[in-house]
Amino acid sequence: MNTSKQRIFVFDNVKALLIILVVLGHAADYYTDYFESMRIFFFYIYLFHMPLFIFLAGLFSKSIILKDPFRIEKIANFLILYFIMEIIFYLLIHYWLGRENYVFNPFVENSVPWFMFAMAVWLCLGRLLRNLKASIVIPSSIVLALAIGYTNIGDVLVGSRIISFFPFFIIGYYIKPNDLADFLQSPKLKIVSALSLVLIAITIYLNIDTLYDMRNLLSGRNAYSQIRMGLDIAGSGAIMRLLTMVVTTCMSIAILSLMTQKHTWFTVIGERSLAIYFFHRPLLFLYHHYHVNDFLKGIFPHAWLWIYLGVFALVAILLAGKPFTLLLQKVELRVEKVLKRHKKTESH
């Protein structure tokens, strides 16, 4: 693999896998209280799928963070998408689904829109820290990620998730994509990677009852006091978060190493992952509101759960279609036009 294009394919292919797992994770979570298989699947993918997704966002953030003048339109675009999602969720859940206790509060967010707000903040933080050495920023970000669990900031302005996941974003920023792609080609690394993913899966399978108590640790939004750690020692929250970050890093490297470097039919899914993220959750809301799985249970009483997951894997693929991406691109272009017009007005 010698060309930059091939290296980009690796990361797009991984993003394709990750965004499908995001959709399947949200789908599986409806049934984690009822099926052990869903708890195992949920815990396994939540160990890595969002941290790795965030790492890749940081990996390709350099063109925004380093460019002068700072591309404020990119920040504005993420914030606009955040508020659009907030409004869509409110209208859908409050009015269509009839949950009158669901209130519109964009300053406290615990659901899917959080990523849009967090991206805007991470890009700004990257801009502020861009001239500092990685040896200073990365350890400091890890310390803050460990410390935030002792506060109750939670979902206010997505604060806990922003700080908990920031190490993955900033590590991505400091790494060069070409260097990472070369590192991933080691045959020995691929063997170790495959073994690691299997061993972690077996460990989770054998210990799911104990490990699943810590699922709230994986979201990055909960204080340690709200999580059963399984350790009765001082600082157990920070210790478990640090251990989780190590496991997450190992799994992320393994998945990057094992992913194909070729351009495939699913490469485009990774290229259009933002549209899939943006649109999939309302479809899940509507699917469950109309009890579609009751229909599947009647036809496939023993296989309906896996068919359900297959349906939403297909939904993720379909959401990679051009119309959905074009909608988001139109929003971005509109934001850019408004900001350019504003700059021209100020210059006059």
Side-chain angles (χ1 to χ4, degrees):
M1 184 178 72
N2 297 317
T3 69
S4 59
K5 286 186 176 180
Q6 287 178 307
R7 287 169 179 158
I8 292 172
F9 295 156
V10 173
F11 303 122
D12 282 332
N13 292 339
V14 171
K15 283 172 66 179
L17 170 66
L18 296 176
I19 196 60
I20 291 174
L21 290 180
V22 166
V23 176
L24 294 183
H26 289 152
D29 198 22
Y30 282 88
Y31 296 100
T32 49
D33 289 341
Y34 310 104
F35 298 99
E36 184 180 81
S37 59
M38 293 298 98
R39 292 193 288 275
I40 293 170
F41 175 70
F42 181 94
F43 194 88
Y44 186 79
I45 67 171
Y46 266 72
L47 277 170
F48 69 87
H49 77 330
M50 281 311 296
L52 181 50
F53 201 84
I54 293 162
F55 167 81
L56 292 176
L59 190 69
F60 293 101
S61 67
K62 298 171 185 61
S63 61
I64 300 173
I65 291 173
L66 297 176
K67 187 173 182 179
D68 290 316
F70 188 36
R71 298 172 67 185
I72 193 67
E73 66 272 11
K74 292 293 183 181
I75 310 302
N77 184 58
F78 277 114
L79 293 177
I80 293 294
L81 291 178
Y82 172 75
F83 281 104
I84 291 175
M85 289 187 81
E86 287 285 308
I87 293 168
I88 291 173
F89 276 39
Y90 175 70
L91 294 176
L92 177 62
I93 297 172
H94 186 89
Y95 291 102
W96 193 335
L97 306 187
R99 299 181 196 171
E100 295 183 358
N101 61 336
Y102 188 90
V103 297
F104 180 73
N105 186 357
F107 301 105
V108 179
E109 178 51 58
N110 64 1
S111 188
V112 171
W114 76 267
F115 179 73
M116 304 295 178
F117 190 89
M119 273 299 301
V121 175
W122 289 328
L123 288 171
C124 291
L125 288 174
R127 179 70 175 185
L128 290 172
L129 302 172
R130 69 191 188 282
N131 294 323
L132 296 180
K133 293 182 179 179
S135 58
I136 297 173
V137 176
I138 292 174
S140 299
S141 70
I142 293 172
V143 170
L144 286 173
L146 300 180
I148 197 65
Y150 293 105
T151 73
N152 291 312
I153 187 173
D155 300 319
V156 178
L157 294 176
V158 198
S160 184
R161 276 171 159 156
I162 288 172
I163 296 172
S164 296
F165 290 123
F166 183 60
F168 298 102
F169 180 88
I170 203 64
I171 289 171
Y173 164 72
Y174 282 114
I175 290 178
K176 295 179 180 179
N178 290 357
D179 292 345
L180 175 59
D182 289 338
F183 167 74
L184 295 172
Q185 299 319 300
S186 167
K188 291 182 180 178
L189 178 61
K190 293 181 184 296
I191 295 171
V192 173
S193 295
L195 290 174
S196 298
L197 292 176
V198 171
L199 287 175
I200 291 170
I202 293 172
T203 301
I204 293 172
Y205 175 79
L206 295 176
N207 299 278
I208 189 58
D209 291 336
T210 300
L211 292 173
Y212 193 72
D213 287 339
M214 296 191 299
R215 65 162 278 171
N216 287 338
L217 183 67
L218 306 183
S219 69
R221 55 180 285 257
N222 298 286
Y224 298 142
S225 59
Q226 299 173 337
I227 305 167
R228 286 190 288 175
M229 294 293 178
L231 284 178
D232 189 21
I233 58 175
S236 59
I239 293 171
M240 291 308 299
R241 172 158 286 169
L242 183 60
L243 289 174
T244 300
M245 292 173 76
V246 171
V247 173
T248 293
T249 301
C250 293
M251 294 180 77
S252 298
I253 293 172
I255 289 162
L256 286 165
S257 174
L258 294 172
M259 180 55 68
T260 178
Q261 304 148 26
K262 298 179 180 179
H263 188 284
T264 69
W265 64 268
F266 57 85
T267 303
V268 70
I269 297 174
E271 295 170 350
R272 300 173 180 176
S273 58
L274 188 62
I276 301 170
Y277 189 88
F278 188 92
F279 289 108
H280 81 277
R281 197 57 161 134
L283 296 179
L284 263 171
F285 287 145
L286 293 171
Y287 183 96
H288 285 277
H289 178 70
Y290 291 107
H291 304 288
V292 180
N293 275 342
D294 290 346
F295 171 75
L296 286 181
K297 290 175 186 178
I299 302 176
F300 307 102
H302 302 296
W304 69 269
L305 187 59
W306 303 105
I307 294 173
Y308 158 67
L309 292 182
V311 166
F312 273 92
L314 180 60
V315 166
I317 294 170
L318 293 176
L319 288 175
K322 281 187 177 180
F324 302 101
T325 297
L326 286 174
L327 283 172
L328 297 190
Q329 287 175 345
K330 285 183 178 180
V331 172
E332 185 173 6
L333 289 173
R334 182 62 180 170
V335 170
E336 289 181 3
K337 286 180 180 178
V338 170
L339 289 176
K340 285 180 180 178
R341 193 181 305 136
H342 180 67
K343 288 178 181 177
K344 287 181 179 178
T345 303
E346 285 186 339
S347 64
H348 290 302

